[in-house]
Amino acid sequence: MADQGSGGSRLPLALPPASQGCSSGGGGSSAGNSGHPLPPRNLQGLLQMAITAGSEEPDPPPEPMSEERRQWLQEAVSAAFRGQREEVEQMKNCLRVLSQPIPSLAVEAELATDQQEREGALELLADLCENMDNAADFCQLSGMHLLVGRYLEAGPAGLRWRAAQLIGTCSQNVAAIQEQVLGLGALRKLLRLLDRDPCDLVRVKALFAISCLVREQEVGLLQFLRLDGFSVLMRAMQQQVQKLKVKSAFLLQNLLPGDRLPPGRAGVPGARAGPGGAPPPPLPAAAAARGVSGGAGVLRKAATDLFL
């Protein structure tokens, strides 16, 4: 009885009690011969029993796939591949429309119809290229060459802003596409649109594309600095278009994190007052970091030129 009480205190689980014959040699032998192991007397023994019992259970045989499920799976896979192929064909059709020469001697009605077709093609491409695989296919089809070479500087504003939007859609968060776009010289044209285009919507979309090319992209940032992009941003922040002001300020804040901004400007913690306690002078639209190379050094130099 003392042994049973001691075993119960060591294993506070509802296990079947050991038989009385366990204390005798004959009883233990009969229990062992019967093929039923003794119950565990501690937690380690319980764990070992669970492992042993689990390893002895055979894996259930795989169930054969029903014909209905097999057919459904085949149709789903076929639909996925068919959808991708159809989207590539749609992009090819759009590029065929955009590759056509713009009619120069057509009547006004024909010119309007032609522009609508091109704008529709650009809008469809923008929807399709929300998918990163489609964006990569679009670049492999030389679509980016067409956008940068012809449509960023097209006559109708509707073509310019749609081209800028499509460039930003394809480029965001995809380093390979960003590098291709930068290599085509798109950033210079986009900065020119942001700075000089008479259409506000074109300027807003150009800023979107610029943001997609320079944020978290060191190659784009260095090119942005060489092209005096910070001065363009500062001028955009001084425009009367509210959306342009907000987006320019947001991009500037992203490119110049707070821990790299020198103190001493209005709106910046720790701003230094001017002579005689006067507020600090307005920020100049200075050129940023000409002739400086190296990511962190360029950014620090640009911040100094802008904010001091």
Side-chain angles (χ1 to χ4, degrees), residues 179-200:
E179 292 172 2
Q180 180 183 5
V181 175
L182 292 168
L184 293 173
L187 190 57
R188 181 185 297 275
K189 296 183 178 182
L190 290 167
L191 286 169
R192 188 181 302 123
L193 291 178
L194 173 60
D195 205 24
R196 304 175 186 174
D197 199 278
C199 176
D200 292 339

Side-chain angles (χ1 to χ4, degrees), residues 76-117:
V77 172
S78 299
F81 283 102
R82 184 171 62 251
Q84 183 67 24
R85 288 195 299 269
E86 289 175 354
E87 290 180 350
V88 172
E89 287 302 318
Q90 285 180 305
M91 289 192 290
K92 289 181 179 179
N93 292 334
C94 291
L95 288 174
R96 276 192 287 270
V97 172
L98 296 173
S99 300
Q100 296 297 321
I102 298 177
S104 56
L105 301 178
V107 298
E108 184 176 352
E110 293 178 354
L111 288 175
T113 301
D114 180 78
Q115 180 179 338
Q116 288 179 356
E117 291 179 355

Side-chain angles (χ1 to χ4, degrees), residues 30-113:
S30 61
N33 293 335
S34 65
H36 297 287
L38 296 177
R41 303 184 63 86
N42 52 40
L43 291 177
Q44 185 175 0
L46 178 63
L47 177 62
Q48 184 62 39
M49 184 182 72
I51 294 174
T52 303
S55 62
E56 291 175 355
E57 294 179 0
D59 294 333
E63 297 181 1
M65 183 180 295
S66 65
E67 186 61 30
E68 180 182 2
R69 183 172 178 81
R70 185 190 305 276
Q71 183 178 358
W72 175 87
L73 183 60
Q74 289 176 346
E75 291 177 356
V77 172
S78 299
F81 283 102
R82 184 171 62 251
Q84 183 67 24
R85 288 195 299 269
E86 289 175 354
E87 290 180 350
V88 172
E89 287 302 318
Q90 285 180 305
M91 289 192 290
K92 289 181 179 179
N93 292 334
C94 291
L95 288 174
R96 276 192 287 270
V97 172
L98 296 173
S99 300
Q100 296 297 321
I102 298 177
S104 56
L105 301 178
V107 298
E108 184 176 352
E110 293 178 354
L111 288 175
T113 301

Side-chain angles (χ1 to χ4, degrees), residues 218 222 225 260 289 292-304:
E218 185 163 339
L222 293 175
L225 294 171
R260 292 177 180 170
V292 183
S293 60
V298 168
L299 199 55
R300 199 174 297 112
K301 179 66 166 58
T304 303

Side-chain angles (χ1 to χ4, degrees), residues 193-194 197-205 207 233-249:
L193 291 178
L194 173 60
D197 199 278
C199 176
D200 292 339
L201 185 55
V202 173
R203 300 172 72 187
V204 170
K205 297 300 183 180
L207 179 59
L233 270 187
M234 296 299 296
R235 288 193 289 271
M237 291 174 62
Q238 298 169 6
Q239 300 301 313
Q240 299 302 317
V241 184
Q242 185 66 21
K243 184 176 290 188
L244 206 57
K245 283 183 176 182
V246 173
K247 291 182 179 293
S248 298

Side-chain angles (χ1 to χ4, degrees), residues 143-154 160-161 163-165 167 180-199 202-211 213-214 223-224 226-229 232:
M144 201 60 69
H145 292 73
L146 190 62
L147 289 181
V148 177
R150 289 180 55 179
Y151 284 90
L152 281 183
E153 298 175 321
R160 294 198 304 275
W161 75 254
Q165 176 178 306
I167 289 175
Q180 180 183 5
V181 175
L182 292 168
L184 293 173
L187 190 57
R188 181 185 297 275
K189 296 183 178 182
L190 290 167
L191 286 169
R192 188 181 302 123
L193 291 178
L194 173 60
D195 205 24
R196 304 175 186 174
D197 199 278
C199 176
V202 173
R203 300 172 72 187
V204 170
K205 297 300 183 180
L207 179 59
F208 163 67
I210 292 169
S211 175
L213 290 172
V214 302
Q223 194 175 126
F224 178 80
R226 286 195 298 269
L227 295 171
D228 200 15
V232 177

